[in-house]
Amino acid sequence: MRNIEPSGARLWESLMRMADIGATPAGGVNRLTLTAEDAAARALLLEWGKAVGCSVLRDRVGNLALLRPGTDATRKPVAIGSHLDTVPTGGKFDGAYGVLAGLEVLRTLHDAGVQTAAPIMLINWANEEGARFSPPMAASAVAMGFATEAALRATPDRFGGVAYGEALDAQRLAGDADPAVLRDLACYFEAHIEQGPELERLGVPLGIVTHAFASRYVTIEVTGADGHIGSPMAGRADALAGAAAMILAAERIGQASAGMVSVTRIAIAPDALGNIASTARLAANARHGETAGAEALLAALTAECETIATARGLRVAITRGWGYAATRFDPALMAMLERAATRRGIATHRMPCPIGHDAILVGQVLPAALLFIPCHGGLSHNEAESITPEWAEAGLRLLADAVLEAAG
Ligand SMILES: [Zn+2]
């Protein structure tokens, strides 16, 4: 098995150039999906991809792919992907690292004149972050058949009410391709910063993700009764006080588990200084390494909320929202990455992933692998997000070797 030598220096240069698009004064990046900044980032990627002879594929929901042909017409593409969109106060590496490491693989193959049997595809998934259009990973979800194009196009922008489809058309980022073509792949690799502190703590430059946690959101609607805050304490049906007890119950259930339970939002009515709240609406999430584990956490939370509501004379209704099942990554692809690491003398660590990535949805449909590099302090979704050029290069080498092996 031959190794190719991708350039860590050129990858770093590309990362820094990409980070200029949407650069914030504090050193971060604000490149929300389907904005002018996102369009500029994609244009730069296209320019780079065309310079190494790739053809371009745009699907109807804004996913963008570069394709390097293979020599065997019967083989499906080996894909590499991640995202160029960021949260409003994002960093330089979340998402961009995976896309630009993939680009560097294409450049290296081009420079070395290497022909692979299978085509190689680099995918920039649209709206991974979900910071502008909720939920996240929305366009990979359509490509993998978990959501419809119509529903995504109709999704409103959380800031100004522009629909996803309108923003897509305004920036001219949609193409003609059926998103399902991005499901017709041999396999999929994604490289990403860890967004946790484990690899840096262990002093290991590469994480091989074994499985991704299941995640499910629920809405908890608590209903009590309006009243004056001068009314007697006894006999109240205070929805906010009940919600507070439910928030602490969620934390307790999470702490006692191998997963996580979090309440992240609260809205109350009438939200007035002199009024007992008659309703409280909470957003909660449960995550667990097993889909059944996440369901068990939600069942425990539901039971606790019902007990609290009954004791306080409240009503509670729990509605399931967006989520996804746990994903097992492909053992053969994981082994390919680990063999490459052994050949190059780079240490790796097997680890689970509790955070959402496009690879999770792809991995439910296709053989997929997710590779982590460390980030300082586990920090991400933060303008101070940082990595070292050495970590970036270690991930790039493994990605290049594994893709080359998979593509033949
Ligand atoms: Zn990301």
mmCIF file of all heavy atoms in Angstrom, residues 269-312:
data_model
loop_
_atom_site.group_PDB
_atom_site.id
_atom_site.type_symbol
_atom_site.label_atom_id
_atom_site.label_comp_id
_atom_site.label_asym_id
_atom_site.label_seq_id
_atom_site.Cartn_x
_atom_site.Cartn_y
_atom_site.Cartn_z
ATOM 1 N N ALA A 269 -45.600 32.336 29.885
ATOM 2 C CA ALA A 269 -46.665 33.310 29.663
ATOM 3 C C ALA A 269 -47.458 33.416 30.958
ATOM 4 O O ALA A 269 -47.591 32.417 31.663
ATOM 5 C CB ALA A 269 -47.575 32.866 28.521
ATOM 6 N N PRO A 270 -47.954 34.584 31.336
ATOM 7 C CA PRO A 270 -47.896 35.821 30.542
ATOM 8 C C PRO A 270 -46.557 36.553 30.638
ATOM 9 O O PRO A 270 -46.418 37.601 29.997
ATOM 10 C CB PRO A 270 -49.018 36.664 31.130
ATOM 11 C CG PRO A 270 -49.183 36.193 32.522
ATOM 12 C CD PRO A 270 -48.813 34.746 32.523
ATOM 13 N N ASP A 271 -45.574 36.078 31.317
ATOM 14 C CA ASP A 271 -44.259 36.730 31.384
ATOM 15 C C ASP A 271 -44.411 38.183 31.858
ATOM 16 O O ASP A 271 -43.882 39.109 31.266
ATOM 17 C CB ASP A 271 -43.580 36.654 30.004
ATOM 18 C CG ASP A 271 -42.077 36.929 30.077
ATOM 19 O OD1 ASP A 271 -41.519 36.932 31.194
ATOM 20 O OD2 ASP A 271 -41.461 37.143 29.011
ATOM 21 N N ALA A 272 -45.155 38.349 32.930
ATOM 22 C CA ALA A 272 -45.428 39.685 33.466
ATOM 23 C C ALA A 272 -44.984 39.728 34.924
ATOM 24 O O ALA A 272 -45.108 38.736 35.651
ATOM 25 C CB ALA A 272 -46.912 39.996 33.356
ATOM 26 N N LEU A 273 -44.465 40.893 35.329
ATOM 27 C CA LEU A 273 -43.846 41.058 36.644
ATOM 28 C C LEU A 273 -44.773 40.657 37.797
ATOM 29 O O LEU A 273 -44.343 40.036 38.757
ATOM 30 C CB LEU A 273 -43.409 42.526 36.796
ATOM 31 C CG LEU A 273 -42.230 42.827 37.690
ATOM 32 C CD1 LEU A 273 -40.994 42.031 37.254
ATOM 33 C CD2 LEU A 273 -41.914 44.331 37.622
ATOM 34 N N GLY A 274 -46.027 40.975 37.697
ATOM 35 C CA GLY A 274 -46.926 40.731 38.826
ATOM 36 C C GLY A 274 -47.774 39.489 38.702
ATOM 37 O O GLY A 274 -48.732 39.312 39.459
ATOM 38 N N ASN A 275 -47.421 38.619 37.742
ATOM 39 C CA ASN A 275 -48.272 37.449 37.484
ATOM 40 C C ASN A 275 -47.582 36.121 37.755
ATOM 41 O O ASN A 275 -46.424 35.935 37.404
ATOM 42 C CB ASN A 275 -48.713 37.419 36.019
ATOM 43 C CG ASN A 275 -49.922 38.279 35.777
ATOM 44 O OD1 ASN A 275 -49.879 39.485 36.021
ATOM 45 N ND2 ASN A 275 -50.998 37.664 35.328
ATOM 46 N N ILE A 276 -48.347 35.214 38.330
ATOM 47 C CA ILE A 276 -47.910 33.811 38.377
ATOM 48 C C ILE A 276 -48.015 33.284 36.942
ATOM 49 O O ILE A 276 -49.003 33.559 36.251
ATOM 50 C CB ILE A 276 -48.831 33.004 39.314
ATOM 51 C CG1 ILE A 276 -48.670 33.516 40.751
ATOM 52 C CG2 ILE A 276 -48.557 31.511 39.215
ATOM 53 C CD1 ILE A 276 -49.803 33.124 41.666
ATOM 54 N N ALA A 277 -46.978 32.571 36.485
ATOM 55 C CA ALA A 277 -46.993 32.064 35.103
ATOM 56 C C ALA A 277 -48.055 30.994 34.939
ATOM 57 O O ALA A 277 -48.125 30.055 35.739
ATOM 58 C CB ALA A 277 -45.623 31.509 34.742
ATOM 59 N N SER A 278 -48.850 31.131 33.884
ATOM 60 C CA SER A 278 -49.860 30.098 33.631
ATOM 61 C C SER A 278 -49.328 29.010 32.711
ATOM 62 O O SER A 278 -49.818 27.882 32.736
ATOM 63 C CB SER A 278 -51.120 30.718 33.030
ATOM 64 O OG SER A 278 -50.795 31.422 31.857
ATOM 65 N N THR A 279 -48.344 29.348 31.877
ATOM 66 C CA THR A 279 -47.738 28.295 31.042
ATOM 67 C C THR A 279 -46.219 28.457 31.010
ATOM 68 O O THR A 279 -45.693 29.561 31.132
ATOM 69 C CB THR A 279 -48.233 28.327 29.571
ATOM 70 O OG1 THR A 279 -47.812 29.541 28.980
ATOM 71 C CG2 THR A 279 -49.721 28.165 29.465
ATOM 72 N N ALA A 280 -45.543 27.335 30.848
ATOM 73 C CA ALA A 280 -44.098 27.327 30.632
ATOM 74 C C ALA A 280 -43.828 26.292 29.557
ATOM 75 O O ALA A 280 -44.391 25.193 29.584
ATOM 76 C CB ALA A 280 -43.353 26.978 31.911
ATOM 77 N N ARG A 281 -43.000 26.676 28.608
ATOM 78 C CA ARG A 281 -42.677 25.763 27.498
ATOM 79 C C ARG A 281 -41.169 25.557 27.520
ATOM 80 O O ARG A 281 -40.401 26.515 27.427
ATOM 81 C CB ARG A 281 -43.108 26.453 26.213
ATOM 82 C CG ARG A 281 -43.117 25.636 24.993
ATOM 83 C CD ARG A 281 -43.457 26.580 23.813
ATOM 84 N NE ARG A 281 -43.210 25.925 22.561
ATOM 85 C CZ ARG A 281 -44.080 25.151 21.930
ATOM 86 N NH1 ARG A 281 -45.277 24.969 22.424
ATOM 87 N NH2 ARG A 281 -43.761 24.574 20.792
ATOM 88 N N LEU A 282 -40.743 24.308 27.689
ATOM 89 C CA LEU A 282 -39.312 23.981 27.780
ATOM 90 C C LEU A 282 -38.878 23.196 26.551
ATOM 91 O O LEU A 282 -39.646 22.398 26.021
ATOM 92 C CB LEU A 282 -39.039 23.112 29.010
ATOM 93 C CG LEU A 282 -39.514 23.616 30.371
ATOM 94 C CD1 LEU A 282 -39.208 22.567 31.439
ATOM 95 C CD2 LEU A 282 -38.819 24.922 30.715
ATOM 96 N N ALA A 283 -37.642 23.406 26.137
ATOM 97 C CA ALA A 283 -37.029 22.533 25.123
ATOM 98 C C ALA A 283 -35.994 21.687 25.845
ATOM 99 O O ALA A 283 -35.150 22.215 26.582
ATOM 100 C CB ALA A 283 -36.375 23.356 24.028
ATOM 101 N N ALA A 284 -36.077 20.374 25.676
ATOM 102 C CA ALA A 284 -35.132 19.470 26.334
ATOM 103 C C ALA A 284 -34.557 18.503 25.309
ATOM 104 O O ALA A 284 -35.147 18.279 24.240
ATOM 105 C CB ALA A 284 -35.822 18.692 27.446
ATOM 106 N N ASN A 285 -33.399 17.972 25.633
ATOM 107 C CA ASN A 285 -32.729 17.020 24.738
ATOM 108 C C ASN A 285 -32.149 15.877 25.554
ATOM 109 O O ASN A 285 -31.620 16.085 26.640
ATOM 110 C CB ASN A 285 -31.603 17.736 23.969
ATOM 111 C CG ASN A 285 -30.801 16.786 23.091
ATOM 112 O OD1 ASN A 285 -29.834 16.168 23.530
ATOM 113 N ND2 ASN A 285 -31.214 16.651 21.849
ATOM 114 N N ALA A 286 -32.233 14.667 25.008
ATOM 115 C CA ALA A 286 -31.571 13.505 25.616
ATOM 116 C C ALA A 286 -30.628 12.896 24.593
ATOM 117 O O ALA A 286 -30.971 12.785 23.406
ATOM 118 C CB ALA A 286 -32.607 12.470 26.044
ATOM 119 N N ARG A 287 -29.428 12.534 25.044
ATOM 120 C CA ARG A 287 -28.423 11.876 24.184
ATOM 121 C C ARG A 287 -27.890 10.650 24.891
ATOM 122 O O ARG A 287 -27.704 10.674 26.116
ATOM 123 C CB ARG A 287 -27.243 12.819 23.930
ATOM 124 C CG ARG A 287 -27.627 13.943 23.066
ATOM 125 C CD ARG A 287 -26.552 14.960 22.836
ATOM 126 N NE ARG A 287 -27.236 16.010 22.105
ATOM 127 C CZ ARG A 287 -26.800 16.621 21.024
ATOM 128 N NH1 ARG A 287 -25.613 16.367 20.563
ATOM 129 N NH2 ARG A 287 -27.529 17.520 20.408
ATOM 130 N N HIS A 288 -27.625 9.612 24.092
ATOM 131 C CA HIS A 288 -27.090 8.385 24.678
ATOM 132 C C HIS A 288 -26.430 7.573 23.570
ATOM 133 O O HIS A 288 -26.835 7.671 22.406
ATOM 134 C CB HIS A 288 -28.232 7.582 25.332
ATOM 135 C CG HIS A 288 -27.756 6.492 26.244
ATOM 136 N ND1 HIS A 288 -27.352 5.266 25.784
ATOM 137 C CD2 HIS A 288 -27.613 6.464 27.595
ATOM 138 C CE1 HIS A 288 -26.979 4.516 26.818
ATOM 139 N NE2 HIS A 288 -27.122 5.225 27.924
ATOM 140 N N GLY A 289 -25.436 6.774 23.947
ATOM 141 C CA GLY A 289 -24.717 5.948 22.978
ATOM 142 C C GLY A 289 -25.576 4.905 22.292
ATOM 143 O O GLY A 289 -25.228 4.410 21.226
ATOM 144 N N GLU A 290 -26.690 4.559 22.903
ATOM 145 C CA GLU A 290 -27.633 3.609 22.306
ATOM 146 C C GLU A 290 -28.962 4.331 22.106
ATOM 147 O O GLU A 290 -29.393 5.088 22.985
ATOM 148 C CB GLU A 290 -27.892 2.418 23.254
ATOM 149 C CG GLU A 290 -26.652 1.655 23.681
ATOM 150 C CD GLU A 290 -26.086 0.768 22.577
ATOM 151 O OE1 GLU A 290 -26.817 0.493 21.590
ATOM 152 O OE2 GLU A 290 -24.910 0.375 22.688
ATOM 153 N N THR A 291 -29.612 4.051 20.995
ATOM 154 C CA THR A 291 -30.910 4.676 20.733
ATOM 155 C C THR A 291 -31.886 4.348 21.866
ATOM 156 O O THR A 291 -32.612 5.221 22.354
ATOM 157 C CB THR A 291 -31.465 4.193 19.373
ATOM 158 O OG1 THR A 291 -30.450 4.427 18.390
ATOM 159 C CG2 THR A 291 -32.723 4.937 18.988
ATOM 160 N N ALA A 292 -31.887 3.094 22.314
ATOM 161 C CA ALA A 292 -32.791 2.681 23.395
ATOM 162 C C ALA A 292 -32.441 3.415 24.695
ATOM 163 O O ALA A 292 -33.322 3.694 25.520
ATOM 164 C CB ALA A 292 -32.710 1.172 23.607
ATOM 165 N N GLY A 293 -31.171 3.723 24.892
ATOM 166 C CA GLY A 293 -30.743 4.470 26.081
ATOM 167 C C GLY A 293 -31.318 5.873 26.088
ATOM 168 O O GLY A 293 -31.786 6.376 27.116
ATOM 169 N N ALA A 294 -31.313 6.520 24.920
ATOM 170 C CA ALA A 294 -31.894 7.870 24.820
ATOM 171 C C ALA A 294 -33.390 7.813 25.081
ATOM 172 O O ALA A 294 -33.964 8.677 25.764
ATOM 173 C CB ALA A 294 -31.603 8.460 23.440
ATOM 174 N N GLU A 295 -34.037 6.775 24.552
ATOM 175 C CA GLU A 295 -35.481 6.618 24.781
ATOM 176 C C GLU A 295 -35.776 6.394 26.264
ATOM 177 O O GLU A 295 -36.760 6.915 26.798
ATOM 178 C CB GLU A 295 -36.034 5.450 23.944
ATOM 179 C CG GLU A 295 -35.999 5.697 22.438
ATOM 180 C CD GLU A 295 -36.801 6.924 22.005
ATOM 181 O OE1 GLU A 295 -37.810 7.243 22.657
ATOM 182 O OE2 GLU A 295 -36.396 7.561 21.017
ATOM 183 N N ALA A 296 -34.920 5.632 26.934
ATOM 184 C CA ALA A 296 -35.116 5.378 28.369
ATOM 185 C C ALA A 296 -34.967 6.677 29.172
ATOM 186 O O ALA A 296 -35.712 6.918 30.129
ATOM 187 C CB ALA A 296 -34.118 4.326 28.857
ATOM 188 N N LEU A 297 -34.024 7.529 28.766
ATOM 189 C CA LEU A 297 -33.869 8.813 29.455
ATOM 190 C C LEU A 297 -35.111 9.676 29.273
ATOM 191 O O LEU A 297 -35.587 10.322 30.221
ATOM 192 C CB LEU A 297 -32.634 9.550 28.913
ATOM 193 C CG LEU A 297 -31.279 8.936 29.274
ATOM 194 C CD1 LEU A 297 -30.149 9.670 28.559
ATOM 195 C CD2 LEU A 297 -31.062 8.990 30.793
ATOM 196 N N LEU A 298 -35.670 9.661 28.066
ATOM 197 C CA LEU A 298 -36.884 10.452 27.818
ATOM 198 C C LEU A 298 -38.071 9.886 28.590
ATOM 199 O O LEU A 298 -38.906 10.637 29.093
ATOM 200 C CB LEU A 298 -37.199 10.488 26.321
ATOM 201 C CG LEU A 298 -36.240 11.329 25.479
ATOM 202 C CD1 LEU A 298 -36.624 11.256 24.005
ATOM 203 C CD2 LEU A 298 -36.230 12.792 25.941
ATOM 204 N N ALA A 299 -38.117 8.566 28.713
ATOM 205 C CA ALA A 299 -39.209 7.943 29.476
ATOM 206 C C ALA A 299 -39.098 8.330 30.949
ATOM 207 O O ALA A 299 -40.100 8.653 31.601
ATOM 208 C CB ALA A 299 -39.158 6.426 29.299
ATOM 209 N N ALA A 300 -37.869 8.340 31.477
ATOM 210 C CA ALA A 300 -37.665 8.730 32.880
ATOM 211 C C ALA A 300 -38.029 10.200 33.086
ATOM 212 O O ALA A 300 -38.672 10.569 34.081
ATOM 213 C CB ALA A 300 -36.201 8.488 33.274
ATOM 214 N N LEU A 301 -37.651 11.033 32.126
ATOM 215 C CA LEU A 301 -37.968 12.466 32.219
ATOM 216 C C LEU A 301 -39.485 12.677 32.169
ATOM 217 O O LEU A 301 -40.048 13.461 32.953
ATOM 218 C CB LEU A 301 -37.275 13.217 31.068
ATOM 219 C CG LEU A 301 -37.516 14.727 31.032
ATOM 220 C CD1 LEU A 301 -36.963 15.414 32.274
ATOM 221 C CD2 LEU A 301 -36.881 15.341 29.775
ATOM 222 N N THR A 302 -40.140 11.962 31.276
ATOM 223 C CA THR A 302 -41.598 12.078 31.151
ATOM 224 C C THR A 302 -42.274 11.694 32.462
ATOM 225 O O THR A 302 -43.155 12.410 32.964
ATOM 226 C CB THR A 302 -42.099 11.170 29.995
ATOM 227 O OG1 THR A 302 -41.448 11.587 28.800
ATOM 228 C CG2 THR A 302 -43.596 11.250 29.821
ATOM 229 N N ALA A 303 -41.838 10.580 33.049
ATOM 230 C CA ALA A 303 -42.435 10.119 34.312
ATOM 231 C C ALA A 303 -42.223 11.151 35.423
ATOM 232 O O ALA A 303 -43.157 11.472 36.172
ATOM 233 C CB ALA A 303 -41.836 8.768 34.702
ATOM 234 N N GLU A 304 -41.024 11.701 35.514
ATOM 235 C CA GLU A 304 -40.720 12.720 36.541
ATOM 236 C C GLU A 304 -41.586 13.958 36.350
ATOM 237 O O GLU A 304 -42.110 14.519 37.317
ATOM 238 C CB GLU A 304 -39.243 13.129 36.453
ATOM 239 C CG GLU A 304 -38.315 12.273 37.274
ATOM 240 C CD GLU A 304 -38.518 12.461 38.779
ATOM 241 O OE1 GLU A 304 -38.763 13.608 39.221
ATOM 242 O OE2 GLU A 304 -38.454 11.454 39.496
ATOM 243 N N CYS A 305 -41.696 14.409 35.098
ATOM 244 C CA CYS A 305 -42.484 15.618 34.816
ATOM 245 C C CYS A 305 -43.947 15.397 35.193
ATOM 246 O O CYS A 305 -44.594 16.292 35.746
ATOM 247 C CB CYS A 305 -42.375 16.011 33.339
ATOM 248 S SG CYS A 305 -40.753 16.663 32.920
ATOM 249 N N GLU A 306 -44.445 14.193 34.924
ATOM 250 C CA GLU A 306 -45.844 13.906 35.257
ATOM 251 C C GLU A 306 -46.056 13.882 36.769
ATOM 252 O O GLU A 306 -47.040 14.405 37.288
ATOM 253 C CB GLU A 306 -46.288 12.587 34.600
ATOM 254 C CG GLU A 306 -46.592 12.818 33.121
ATOM 255 C CD GLU A 306 -46.708 11.553 32.289
ATOM 256 O OE1 GLU A 306 -46.490 10.444 32.833
ATOM 257 O OE2 GLU A 306 -47.007 11.687 31.081
ATOM 258 N N THR A 307 -45.092 13.318 37.495
ATOM 259 C CA THR A 307 -45.181 13.294 38.962
ATOM 260 C C THR A 307 -45.162 14.714 39.531
ATOM 261 O O THR A 307 -45.970 15.068 40.404
ATOM 262 C CB THR A 307 -43.985 12.484 39.538
ATOM 263 O OG1 THR A 307 -44.015 11.185 38.953
ATOM 264 C CG2 THR A 307 -44.060 12.357 41.050
ATOM 265 N N ILE A 308 -44.259 15.529 39.004
ATOM 266 C CA ILE A 308 -44.150 16.922 39.482
ATOM 267 C C ILE A 308 -45.440 17.690 39.172
ATOM 268 O O ILE A 308 -45.969 18.416 40.018
ATOM 269 C CB ILE A 308 -42.924 17.605 38.824
ATOM 270 C CG1 ILE A 308 -41.624 16.992 39.357
ATOM 271 C CG2 ILE A 308 -42.949 19.117 39.055
ATOM 272 C CD1 ILE A 308 -40.380 17.305 38.537
ATOM 273 N N ALA A 309 -45.950 17.490 37.965
ATOM 274 C CA ALA A 309 -47.167 18.199 37.563
ATOM 275 C C ALA A 309 -48.337 17.814 38.465
ATOM 276 O O ALA A 309 -49.066 18.689 38.959
ATOM 277 C CB ALA A 309 -47.496 17.885 36.106
ATOM 278 N N THR A 310 -48.493 16.529 38.715
ATOM 279 C CA THR A 310 -49.597 16.067 39.562
ATOM 280 C C THR A 310 -49.492 16.670 40.958
ATOM 281 O O THR A 310 -50.467 17.180 41.507
ATOM 282 C CB THR A 310 -49.586 14.521 39.642
ATOM 283 O OG1 THR A 310 -49.633 14.021 38.309
ATOM 284 C CG2 THR A 310 -50.762 13.990 40.437
ATOM 285 N N ALA A 311 -48.300 16.661 41.535
ATOM 286 C CA ALA A 311 -48.100 17.173 42.886
ATOM 287 C C ALA A 311 -48.378 18.673 42.974
ATOM 288 O O ALA A 311 -48.735 19.185 44.041
ATOM 289 C CB ALA A 311 -46.671 16.877 43.337
ATOM 290 N N ARG A 312 -48.242 19.376 41.873
ATOM 291 C CA ARG A 312 -48.389 20.833 41.884
ATOM 292 C C ARG A 312 -49.683 21.321 41.228
ATOM 293 O O ARG A 312 -49.837 22.525 40.998
ATOM 294 C CB ARG A 312 -47.197 21.472 41.154
ATOM 295 C CG ARG A 312 -45.897 21.345 41.913
ATOM 296 C CD ARG A 312 -44.732 21.833 41.073
ATOM 297 N NE ARG A 312 -43.534 21.974 41.889
ATOM 298 C CZ ARG A 312 -43.180 23.086 42.526
ATOM 299 N NH1 ARG A 312 -43.937 24.170 42.454
ATOM 300 N NH2 ARG A 312 -42.083 23.117 43.246
#
